Amino acid sequence: MDTMRGALERARMLVGMEVDEESAPEEQSFFDDRLYGFAICLAAGLTCTFLSMLVFFNPVKFGVTFTLGNLMALGSTAFLIGPKRQFDMMLDSVRIYATAIYIASIIIALFCALFVHSKLLTLLAIILEFGALVWVIQEM
């Protein structure tokens, strides 16, 4: 139990939360729930992203599952730092360009997949989306 508590305290320090020596049980439970939410959302996002490779030659399914997986993986961090703080961080002056390109690439990828049905354009949009996602995460 002490190793789990130590791991939770290290995770708190990583995301910028204060570490208390004597945490209340409700607060500890709330933090545990957030870690579980983060892990489940991240696992689901990575699963969607990797499963999208199975339908690579179908641009509609590929574009939708890849984009959904990226959004879930990125949204998983909202469980750790909170959605408002994450939104504020994404709109920070340092990250605003990366965020704008990421959101635009999501729209372009879904448009190419759902309306244009072009494998090449969808693939290019997905590459742009992935690059923008890496840029957004790197800036955080």
Side-chain angles (χ1 to χ4, degrees):
M1 188 65 169
D2 289 332
T3 58
M4 181 65 166
R5 193 165 282 160
L8 290 173
E9 287 178 3
R10 283 191 296 270
R12 281 184 174 186
M13 288 187 302
L14 285 174
V15 296
M17 296 176 67
E18 293 181 16
V19 178
D20 299 331
E21 294 297 322
E22 298 294 324
S23 297
E26 299 106 23
E27 181 182 330
Q28 191 71 24
S29 173
F30 177 70
F31 187 69
D32 290 344
D33 292 343
R34 290 187 351 185
L35 278 179
Y36 289 135
F38 165 74
I40 290 169
C41 195
L42 180 63
L46 292 175
T47 301
C48 277
T49 301
F50 290 127
L51 287 177
S52 70
M53 300 304 162
L54 295 175
V55 293
F56 179 75
F57 293 107
N58 184 339
V60 174
K61 289 180 182 177
F62 175 71
V64 171
T65 55
F66 188 84
T67 300
L68 180 65
N70 278 341
L71 287 174
M72 289 176 72
L74 182 65
S76 67
T77 58
F79 283 99
L80 292 179
I81 61 175
K84 183 183 180 329
R85 184 171 175 203
Q86 181 176 3
F87 188 72
D88 290 343
M89 287 173 64
M90 288 178 72
L91 295 180
D92 188 39
S93 63
V94 176
R95 297 175 195 93
I96 190 70
Y97 298 115
T99 302
I101 291 172
Y102 180 65
I103 291 171
S105 67
I106 287 173
I107 293 168
I108 292 168
L110 290 176
F111 180 78
C112 289
L114 296 173
F115 298 110
V116 179
H117 300 287
S118 170
K119 293 177 186 175
L120 180 62
L121 290 177
T122 303
L123 181 62
L124 291 174
I126 292 297
I127 291 170
L128 178 66
E129 178 180 335
F130 183 74
L133 177 66
V134 169
W135 188 14
V136 167
I137 291 173
Q138 181 229 358
E139 292 292 329
M140 289 186 161

